[in-house]
Amino acid sequence: MKLYYNPRSRAAIAKWMLDECGADYEIVPVDFAKREHKTPEFLKINPAGKLPALVDGDSRIFEGAAICLYLGDKFPEANLAPKIGAPERGRYLSLMVYSTSQVEPAMGDKLLGATTLPQRGWTDFETVKDVIEGALGDGPYLFGDWFTAADVMIGSMFIWKRMWGGPPERPKLEAYVDRLLARPKAMKVGS
Ligand SMILES: N[C@@H](CCC(=O)N[C@@H](CS)C(=O)NCC(=O)O)C(=O)O
């Protein structure tokens, strides 16, 4: 497998997932300054010209959530995804999609000081935090003791937010980020 990667990008999330899977993979560095993500060759892998992108044999996968879903199913031995038919599967898929369709844009609105318009399809960030706190319950992860790809996708958003600085988040979310960052293979950004 090849991960098209820049350390200062969302490709760090896909790398975290690959590492949690124990996958054997190759990093293909992508230099944004040289516009390597807009070359005809790269656009055949991700027509949107963005990172991350993963190539696995004849499969080309783009969008971070799709990559994490793909890897969760490809590496069942890593036990990072409820299997098809498992009772947790529906909630897992919901949280995976929620991460990029609602958590990320709501957080973006907050960080940019933009108004959240319900017509866009996501809620304000306070509501997102209510949802994630509720999903965490007593934790430590979104599925209790079971760390899954949903923690990679949703947890990475809150790790990013901490790196952006600003006031600390709600204590329960800060404690969640601490737990995720204490994992040996936790996401590293910028290196
Ligand atoms: N929704 C996409 C977002 C991808 C994205 O915006 N990637 C950024 C890096 S974090 C990028 O490639 N930016 C370069 C550009 O758009 O020119 C995903 O989750 O994969």
Coordinates of all heavy atoms in Angstrom, one line a residue, residues 1-3 18 23-27 54-57 70-71 74-75:
M1 N 0.8 -1.2 0.0 CA 0.0 0.0 0.0 C 0.9 1.2 0.0 O 1.9 1.3 0.6 CB -0.9 0.0 1.3 CG -2.1 -0.8 1.2 SD -3.2 -0.6 2.6 CE -2.2 -1.4 3.8
K2 N 0.4 2.3 -0.6 CA 1.1 3.6 -0.7 C 0.2 4.7 -0.1 O -1.0 4.8 -0.6 CB 1.4 3.9 -2.1 CG 2.5 3.1 -2.7 CD 2.9 3.6 -4.1 CE 3.9 2.7 -4.7 NZ 4.2 3.1 -6.1
L3 N 0.7 5.4 0.9 CA 0.0 6.5 1.4 C 0.6 7.8 0.9 O 1.8 8.0 1.1 CB 0.0 6.5 3.0 CG -0.6 7.7 3.6 CD1 -2.2 7.8 3.4 CD2 -0.3 7.8 5.1
L18 N -3.3 3.5 9.7 CA -2.4 2.5 9.2 C -1.5 1.9 10.3 O -1.3 0.7 10.4 CB -1.5 3.1 8.1 CG -2.2 3.2 6.7 CD1 -1.4 4.2 5.9 CD2 -2.2 1.9 6.0
A23 N -0.3 -2.1 9.7 CA -0.1 -2.3 8.2 C 1.3 -2.1 7.7 O 2.1 -1.3 8.3 CB -1.1 -1.3 7.5
D24 N 1.6 -2.8 6.7 CA 2.9 -2.6 6.0 C 2.6 -1.6 4.9 O 1.8 -1.9 4.0 CB 3.4 -4.0 5.5 CG 4.8 -3.9 4.9 OD1 5.5 -2.9 5.2 OD2 5.1 -4.9 4.2
Y25 N 3.2 -0.5 4.9 CA 2.9 0.5 3.8 C 4.1 1.4 3.5 O 5.1 1.5 4.3 CB 1.7 1.4 4.3 CG 2.0 2.3 5.5 CD1 2.3 3.6 5.3 CD2 1.8 1.8 6.8 CE1 2.6 4.4 6.4 CE2 2.1 2.6 7.9 CZ 2.4 3.9 7.7 OH 2.7 4.7 8.8
E26 N 4.0 2.1 2.4 CA 5.0 3.0 1.9 C 4.5 4.4 1.9 O 3.3 4.6 1.6 CB 5.4 2.6 0.5 CG 6.5 3.4 -0.2 CD 6.6 3.0 -1.7 OE1 6.2 1.9 -2.0 OE2 6.9 3.9 -2.4
I27 N 5.3 5.3 2.4 CA 4.9 6.7 2.4 C 5.4 7.4 1.0 O 6.5 7.2 0.7 CB 5.5 7.5 3.5 CG1 5.0 7.1 4.9 CG2 5.5 9.0 3.3 CD1 3.8 7.8 5.3
L54 N -4.8 6.9 -0.7 CA -4.2 5.6 -0.5 C -4.4 4.7 -1.7 O -5.4 4.7 -2.4 CB -4.9 4.9 0.7 CG -4.4 3.5 1.2 CD1 -3.1 3.7 2.0 CD2 -5.4 2.8 2.0
V55 N -3.3 4.0 -2.1 CA -3.3 3.1 -3.2 C -3.0 1.7 -2.7 O -2.0 1.5 -2.0 CB -2.4 3.5 -4.4 CG1 -2.3 2.4 -5.4 CG2 -2.8 4.8 -5.0
D56 N -3.9 0.8 -3.0 CA -3.7 -0.6 -2.5 C -4.0 -1.5 -3.7 O -5.2 -1.8 -4.1 CB -4.7 -0.9 -1.4 CG -4.6 -2.3 -0.8 OD1 -3.5 -2.9 -1.1 OD2 -5.5 -2.8 -0.2
G57 N -2.9 -1.9 -4.4 CA -3.1 -2.7 -5.6 C -3.9 -1.8 -6.6 O -3.4 -0.7 -6.9
Y70 N -12.0 1.7 4.9 CA -11.4 0.7 4.1 C -10.4 -0.1 4.9 O -10.4 -1.4 4.9 CB -10.7 1.4 2.9 CG -10.0 0.5 2.0 CD1 -10.6 -0.1 0.9 CD2 -8.6 0.2 2.1 CE1 -10.0 -1.0 0.0 CE2 -7.9 -0.7 1.3 CZ -8.6 -1.2 0.2 OH -8.0 -2.1 -0.7
L71 N -9.5 0.6 5.7 CA -8.5 -0.1 6.5 C -9.1 -0.9 7.6 O -8.6 -2.0 7.9 CB -7.5 0.9 7.0 CG -6.6 1.6 5.9 CD1 -5.8 2.7 6.5 CD2 -5.7 0.6 5.2
K74 N -10.2 -4.0 6.1 CA -9.1 -4.8 5.5 C -8.3 -5.5 6.5 O -7.7 -6.5 6.2 CB -8.2 -3.9 4.6 CG -7.1 -4.6 3.9 CD -6.2 -3.7 3.1 CE -5.0 -4.4 2.6 NZ -5.2 -5.2 1.4
F75 N -8.2 -4.9 7.7 CA -7.4 -5.5 8.8 C -8.3 -6.0 10.0 O -8.2 -5.4 11.0 CB -6.3 -4.5 9.3 CG -5.3 -4.2 8.3 CD1 -5.4 -3.1 7.4 CD2 -4.2 -5.1 8.1 CE1 -4.4 -2.9 6.5 CE2 -3.2 -4.8 7.1 CZ -3.3 -3.7 6.3

